[in-house]
Amino acid sequence: MLDSRFVPEGWRPPFKRDIGCTYDGRILCVQRVAAFLATLDPTIEFSPLPSKPSVLLLRVTRTLPFDPSVRPVRFIGKCQSCGSYTEVIGSLPAAFQQSALLDLEEGLYRSDLEFGSREGKGPLLVATASLVSGLLARRFSGLTLVPL
């Protein structure tokens, strides 16, 4: 994603869940989800959509370094101007640098690499165990969790 803060003017996604993701990797949620997440992770940023203020754009700011030596990553089509790649292809389960996982504070993290192709690239999101428990207990619609 080029700029995760950019919201096209008049954009009104057909959003009918508590939390979800767009095709270009943006995470959307309703106020109820934002209120819960903000209590456990004050670093998450929320911005209401100008044309639909009941829906918030969620932006995870803390990163975890992906470890490509454990899980191979293919980088395809390097841009000579900016250094980014057209495609970044990884494998699951994701592998992060072990030193970064030792002292994680409670909350939500994003991978330092964005996977996918072209404008559809986005990070992997990682939630700590107690955040996962809280999300599951609240039964937010649209939530999909996959163990690492």
Side-chain angles (χ1 to χ4, degrees):
M1 180 181 317
L2 297 176
D3 182 356
S4 62
R5 293 184 181 124
F6 174 73
V7 176
E9 191 173 324
W11 183 49
R12 293 182 59 85
F15 193 70
K16 296 178 173 73
R17 297 186 173 126
D18 293 327
I19 189 166
C21 186
T22 65
Y23 285 115
D24 64 354
R26 298 169 195 270
I27 305 163
L28 303 174
C29 69
V30 296
Q31 185 60 45
R32 188 169 79 94
V33 175
F36 168 71
L37 290 174
T39 62
L40 288 178
D41 189 342
T43 67
I44 298 173
E45 297 175 357
F46 300 96
S47 306
L49 299 183
S51 60
K52 197 171 185 177
S54 63
V55 177
L56 303 160
L57 182 62
L58 182 155
R59 188 168 170 273
V60 178
T61 59
R62 293 190 288 187
T63 61
L64 281 176
F66 191 82
D67 190 346
S69 68
V70 175
R71 293 277 182 250
V73 177
R74 290 179 45 208
F75 297 93
I76 300 170
K78 184 174 184 174
C79 174
Q80 298 306 315
S81 299
C82 70
S84 67
Y85 291 85
T86 304
E87 297 180 61
V88 180
I89 304 166
S91 59
L92 292 175
F96 295 94
Q97 292 178 5
Q98 289 301 307
S99 59
L101 297 173
L102 294 177
D103 295 316
L104 284 185
E105 293 180 24
E106 203 53 52
L108 197 56
Y109 295 81
R110 54 177 277 140
S111 60
D112 61 345
L113 285 178
E114 292 193 355
F115 297 89
S117 60
R118 305 192 189 284
E119 293 80 23
K121 287 194 295 275
L124 299 174
L125 297 183
V126 178
T128 55
S130 60
L131 179 58
V132 168
S133 296
L135 289 167
L136 292 173
R138 284 159 181 78
R139 299 179 162 221
F140 294 127
S141 65
L143 183 66
T144 302
L145 299 171
V146 178
L148 293 177

